[in-house]
Amino acid sequence: MTVRTRPLLLLDVDGPLNPYAARLPRPRGYTTHHLRPANWLARQTPGSRAHRRGLRVRLNPAHGPMLTGLPFELAWATTWMHEANTMIAPAVGLSGDLPVIEWPELFATDPDGLCWKTRLLVEWADGRPFAWVDDMITDLDTTYVATHHDGPALLLRIHPRRGLRERDFATLTNWAKLL
């Protein structure tokens, strides 16, 4: 008997869930949070205004229920790593600890011009079908995944000004149904 597993949905935070490039006022449905992720804090001057105030993050509490309603197994593919479970998940309405892809080096330069996440994502998925939502995906990443991943994959570039929208959820649902 074959055990069928759901495809993976690899989630970036900044861009898809946090439309950091959105113009003021903040997008409808989003709330503003001032968070202090370790990776960000390490790049701030101690005692500076930014260090005291925290990183401004806009999150939509409706995204969690919409994400859990998708036919996917969710996992974090973000610089927030494990802090996505403690800082982002509660603010968007996700419960429980999602699996996390741990990056050995953030923003490492790829020799072939790929997004710094791409190679490790393919390795982490290990042939399982996956959809990846991120604002940094390029045609090079799509080509790399198509030639180096043994299963179906959907790379969905999300504009960092808009974040995940209803049509993106529809695209994800339709792709999963085709598997």
Side-chain angles (χ1 to χ4, degrees):
M1 182 169 129
T2 304
V3 176
R4 186 159 185 190
T5 58
R6 297 186 298 169
L8 297 164
L9 177 54
L10 307 177
L11 291 166
D12 183 27
V13 169
D14 296 316
L17 296 178
N18 169 30
Y20 63 88
R23 295 185 177 133
L24 293 175
R26 72 176 170 254
R28 189 177 24 209
Y30 285 78
T31 57
T32 301
H33 305 264
H34 291 274
L35 303 175
R36 293 172 176 78
N39 290 326
W40 179 83
L41 272 179
R43 295 188 310 271
Q44 307 306 309
T45 303
S48 68
R49 183 173 186 255
H51 192 269
R52 289 190 315 272
R53 188 168 187 200
L55 175 66
R56 183 188 71 202
V57 179
R58 295 175 174 144
L59 300 168
N60 187 333
H63 278 162
M66 293 170 75
L67 288 164
T68 56
L70 293 171
F72 287 89
E73 179 183 322
L74 306 177
W76 295 115
T78 176
T79 60
W80 291 75
M81 290 191 273
H82 292 280
E83 289 178 316
N85 278 320
T86 58
M87 294 182 184
I88 304 301
V92 298
L94 289 172
S95 59
D97 283 345
L98 300 181
V100 175
I101 298 175
E102 295 185 18
W103 314 108
E105 182 181 353
L106 299 178
F107 306 107
T109 301
D110 184 87
D112 297 322
L114 300 173
C115 172
W116 61 274
K117 297 177 182 179
T118 305
R119 293 178 195 271
L120 190 57
L121 280 173
V122 169
E123 182 182 317
W124 195 86
D126 194 26
R128 279 185 68 184
F130 73 85
W132 174 27
V133 294
D134 201 303
D135 62 311
M136 298 176 71
I137 296 168
T138 68
D139 291 341
L140 289 174
D141 302 304
T142 302
T143 300
Y144 180 88
V145 171
T147 58
H148 292 87
H149 181 62
D150 294 331
L154 170 68
L155 278 64
L156 187 58
R157 185 177 186 281
I158 305 299
H159 197 290
R161 184 175 291 151
R162 295 187 278 276
L164 276 170
R165 298 186 296 173
E166 285 187 34
R167 71 180 189 192
D168 301 316
F169 285 95
T171 298
L172 291 164
T173 300
N174 292 334
W175 180 81
K177 286 180 182 177
L178 294 174
L179 296 177

